[in-house]
Each structure stands twice: as structure tokens, then as C-alpha cells.
């Protein structure tokens, strides 16, 4: 049986991997009931460490937009070299507020 694939890092998400649903438009910005995508938990953490809810709603409401953000591009290149079930604390610092 094929495992779902994380649309951010494009690695499979095996059942033992930490995973979560990401609202493409944050719930706090009107996305409740809107489209969601299944991601590795580490990928989801990195999105929220990088971008504010407002930035996500305004400019990064698609996987394509997320994948071209410079910090997320570096993260994707880094995590692509890890096993599919890999999880760690979010590398790098949180975004500047």
C-alpha cells in the first residue's frame, strides 16, 4: 500500500511518522472548513515557525507559494535528505515578530 505524500517536502508519510493537517488559509483568518493538506509534523512546524497567520492567509495559501519561500526552500532541501518518518525540533529560530 502506498503512503500519502507530503506536498511540501514530497516525501512519503508512513503511518509511524508524526503528521498533521495544515489549513491552507488559517482558521483564524477565515479558513475554518477550508482546504487542508496532510503534512509531516516537522514540515507543518516549519511553516508556522517561518510565517505569521496573516502572511499565510495573504501570500502563502497554496503549497506552490509555500514551496518557493526562501526559508522553506532551504528547509525542504535539508529535510529531503532525512528518512520519511524523521522528526526533530524545528531547526532554526522562529520568525522575527
Amino acid at each position: 500500500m502506498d503512503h500519502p505524500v507530503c506536498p511540501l517536502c514530497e516525501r512519503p508519510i508512513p503511518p509511524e511518522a508524526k503528521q498533521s493537517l495544515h489549513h491552507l488559509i488559517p482558521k483564524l483568518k477565515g479558513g475554518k472548513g477550508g482546504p487542508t493538506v496532510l503534512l509531516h509534523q516537522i514540515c507543518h512546524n516549519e511553516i508556522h515557525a517561518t510565517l505569521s497567520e496573516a502572511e499565510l492567509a495573504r501570500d502563502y495559501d497554496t503549497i506552490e507559494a509555500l514551496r518557493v519561500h526562501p526559508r522553506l526552500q532551504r528547509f525542504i532541501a535539508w529535510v529531503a535528505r532525512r528518512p520519511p518518518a524523521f522528526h526533530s525540533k524545528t531547526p532554526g529560530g522562529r520568525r522575527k515578530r
Side-chain angles (χ1 to χ4, degrees):
M1 179 171 111
D2 290 337
H3 300 303
V5 173
C6 177
L8 188 71
C9 71
E10 298 182 335
R11 296 178 303 143
I13 306 174
E16 68 274 13
K18 292 184 179 185
Q19 53 191 279
S20 64
L21 287 176
H22 172 66
H23 287 80
L24 291 171
I25 299 172
K27 291 187 287 186
L28 294 174
K29 299 293 182 182
K32 186 176 181 182
T36 60
V37 291
L38 181 67
L39 302 173
H40 289 103
Q41 185 66 53
I42 192 171
C43 295
H44 197 189
N45 292 351
E46 186 65 19
I47 289 169
H48 287 284
T50 302
L51 298 160
S52 69
E53 302 284 300
E55 290 170 319
L56 286 167
R58 184 181 61 239
D59 300 319
Y60 295 96
D61 61 349
T62 66
I63 288 296
E64 294 77 19
L66 290 167
R67 288 181 55 82
V68 298
H69 184 282
R71 176 173 161 165
L72 293 177
Q73 283 182 327
R74 288 189 302 275
F75 167 79
I76 292 164
W78 175 82
V79 83
R81 298 187 303 268
R82 307 297 184 269
F86 175 80
H87 184 78
S88 73
K89 290 186 177 180
T90 301
R94 289 192 55 86
R95 66 184 176 271
K96 305 243 188 292
R97 299 202 186 251

